[in-house]
Amino acid sequence: MFQSLDELLQILNPQIVGSLKRAIELGKWPNGVVVSPQQKMLCAEAVAYWEQKHAAPVERVGYVPPKSTPCADKHDHDHEEEAVTWVAS
């Protein structure tokens, strides 16, 4: 389909990006042909490139919202202090 990332980047638009995401997700093109590992990598790079330029961070593939408290543990333990034991190596 595409021989290089540059060739693919020149024609990107929202519809093509959606098709590329679907091909990556399903592992095949709309005509049923299997997406090769190289094609999958090119598609992923193209989607990331396009989203970096055209999509808000929260709309990008792989976006993970920040935690309300950095490094928060699932169980807060009411901020209990824990003793640290050093082990000689």
Side-chain angles (χ1 to χ4, degrees):
M1 189 157 210
F2 299 102
Q3 299 304 312
S4 73
L5 180 59
D6 290 331
E7 185 180 326
L8 179 56
L9 296 178
Q10 292 175 15
I11 64 153
L12 290 180
N13 63 41
Q15 293 77 27
I16 293 173
V17 170
S19 294
L20 295 176
K21 287 180 182 180
R22 184 136 178 103
I24 294 167
E25 184 180 357
L26 298 177
K28 60 182 177 178
W29 298 110
N31 65 0
V33 174
V34 173
V35 176
S36 73
Q38 182 182 11
Q39 289 172 329
K40 195 176 279 190
M41 183 63 73
L42 284 174
C43 291
E45 288 181 54
V47 167
Y49 172 86
W50 188 88
E51 287 184 344
Q52 183 70 29
K53 292 192 170 280
H54 302 285
V58 297
E59 297 171 346
R60 296 178 191 157
V61 170
Y63 174 76
V64 177
K67 293 181 178 180
S68 59
T69 306
C71 301
D73 191 82
K74 288 182 182 177
H75 305 289
D76 195 11
H77 301 294
D78 297 320
H79 302 289
E80 293 176 12
E81 291 187 23
E82 292 184 32
V84 176
T85 305
W86 293 95
V87 178
S89 54

